[in-house]
Amino acid sequence: MSRGGPAGVRVEARAKLNLGLQVGRPRPDGFHDLVTIFQTISLADTLVARPRRSGFTLRVRFEDAALRRSGAPRHGKPSRTDVPMGPANLVLRAARLVAERLDLRGGADFTLLKRIPSRAGLGGGSADAAAAIAALLRLHRRRVQLRTRLEWGLELGSDVPFAVFGGTALGRGRGERLTRLRLAEPFRAVVAMPEWHVSTREAFIKMDRMKKFLTGGAIPLGSGQSVAREEVRPLEALRVGNTFERVLGSHTRAFGSLVQRLQASGLVEPRMTGSGSAVFALLPKHVSSVRVANAFRGPERLFLVRSMRSATRVTTIR
Ligand code: C5P
């Protein structure tokens, strides 16, 4: 720990949406090329890091950030079983990676307040990893080029580079080839969290099977790129679609029902984010989130979110 450093650091670790997502062929390295439009949103975990002499520790707490509806069943509450608590947690993996690359002395005690649902396509784990990188750099008063931080991110997961980058971006390759985009107008959306979850790895495997069956292997990546050439209008980006919506198997019916119920409650263009299971839809201007929450029928938890221009907010604890 550098002398006279802060007593701690607090980082807001924001979730993401994939406004549109087109997946291409599997590559020789086993990953898939994709084209996506990433958008940072206001739903966020909070990571606090305090310096310690050596090693890294992690405590995780859970907070339900869903819109309240009196009497509504509380399905899909965040739970410990969905988040690795040990060394596999992305916070600890990110911290170890940064400490090793920068040869940092001293460790940190991390406390993570989880609000972002897991295995939902919201990039919660990736946001936590990006937050841990930011926290350690601030604790040690070190600055590292964006390019290097993006490379570290990719070592931790395909979505971590965007979690470092933030805002609105076109993602290509595994999602790590990022181009900054301008959002034509900020937007509000409602995210609905089903009771079922999705394993990203399994979703990609299913897609390979399905795609052979459907199209002989090729899904055009073109329209995702053309939408993103200039500034991004949320509605246009959403119309790119999400390839994962076609490989839901036994969840297809549940997804269709959720889309229909979101529309019926006054929301626009429901879309899955990432490989799911969360589904989001735009909240039109002048429509109140309370009205939507009251009109919505079903057990899913709803989160009100808005588009954000940066991935993390770092504050120093004196
Ligand atoms: O990179 P990450 O660990 O988040 O990816 C989880 C799994 O999803 C990978 O092991 C891989 O099977 C699959 N994946 C993929 N193509 C991508 C991203 C992820 O096949 N672009």
Side-chain angles (χ1 to χ4, degrees):
M1 187 65 235
S2 60
R3 257 169 212 284
V9 171
R10 177 178 289 109
V11 187
E12 198 176 301
R14 294 173 182 150
K16 59 85 177 162
L17 296 175
N18 298 91
L19 298 184
L21 172 60
Q22 295 182 341
V23 180
R25 292 167 182 278
R27 318 188 308 195
D29 66 1
F31 287 94
H32 294 68
D33 276 321
L34 51 83
V35 177
T36 186
I37 298 162
F38 283 117
Q39 175 62 56
T40 302
I41 55 171
S42 50
L43 177 62
D45 294 338
T46 304
L47 182 69
V48 173
R50 295 179 186 277
R52 63 181 274 135
R53 196 180 290 273
S54 70
F56 296 102
T57 70
L58 173 66
R59 260 182 1 149
V60 186
R61 291 187 294 128
F62 294 86
E63 188 174 278
D64 190 353
L67 286 167
R68 303 266 155 198
R69 285 181 297 139
S70 55
R74 315 293 297 155
H75 281 295
K77 260 193 82 166
S79 80
R80 303 181 74 80
T81 53
D82 286 336
V83 178
M85 296 290 163
N89 188 289
L90 276 164
V91 168
L92 294 175
R93 287 179 50 204
R96 289 196 304 266
L97 186 145
V98 175
E100 181 208 298
R101 299 297 152 84
L102 296 181
D103 201 14
L104 297 178
R105 282 157 192 240
D109 292 315
F110 291 104
T111 307
L112 179 63
L113 183 56
K114 281 257 22 124
R115 299 187 193 85
I116 307 171
S118 305
R119 295 190 296 142
L122 292 165
S126 303
D128 299 340
I133 294 172
L136 270 196
L137 293 179
R138 177 68 70 90
L139 269 186
H140 290 268
R141 295 196 286 202
R142 296 284 289 265
R143 280 179 196 278
V144 170
Q145 278 189 349
L146 176 63
R147 208 176 62 189
T148 306
R149 286 181 281 131
L150 293 174
E151 284 167 9
W152 291 349
L154 188 60
E155 291 186 44
L156 296 163
S158 302
D159 282 346
V160 182
F162 175 72
V164 169
F165 196 76
T168 310
L170 177 68
R172 284 172 291 182
R174 284 166 59 188
E176 85 285 12
R177 287 171 49 208
L178 294 163
T179 310
R180 176 134 346 257
L181 299 172
R182 209 161 66 82
L183 192 61
E185 66 224 24
F187 65 85
R188 293 181 306 158
V190 169
V191 175
M193 190 57 213
E195 296 148 63
W196 46 280
H197 295 256
V198 170
S199 145
T200 302
R201 209 178 104 75
E202 282 164 26
F204 274 107
I205 291 170
K206 261 199 222 161
M207 179 162 304
D208 290 341
R209 279 197 218 118
M210 277 283 282
K211 260 196 327 200
K212 281 195 189 102
F213 173 67
L214 282 174
T215 67
I219 281 194
L221 298 178
S223 59
Q225 276 161 320
S226 64
V227 157
R229 216 160 272 155
E230 293 161 12
E231 58 177 19
V232 177
R233 299 201 171 274
L235 262 180
E236 276 173 46
L238 287 169
R239 289 189 183 133
V240 169
N242 182 333
T243 321
F244 284 108
E245 291 178 4
R246 299 187 224 166
V247 294
L248 287 171
S250 61
H251 297 302
T252 304
R253 195 191 284 264
F255 169 71
S257 157
L258 178 53
V259 164
Q260 189 266 322
R261 286 178 286 117
L262 288 169
Q263 281 168 330
S265 65
L267 297 164
V268 175
E269 204 78 25
R271 185 68 66 243
M272 185 159 272
T273 175
S275 55
S277 58
V279 177
F280 65 100
L282 298 182
L283 184 61
K285 288 198 181 100
H286 314 301
V287 174
S288 92
S289 56
V290 176
R291 210 173 87 190
V292 167
N294 288 334
F296 179 75
R297 294 283 163 262
E300 292 86 358
R301 288 187 304 144
L302 300 182
F303 299 83
L304 174 64
V305 303
R306 60 184 198 285
S307 56
M308 302 293 280
R309 290 165 67 162
S310 64
T312 49
R313 192 166 64 102
V314 186
T315 51
T316 299
I317 304 167
R318 295 272 157 216

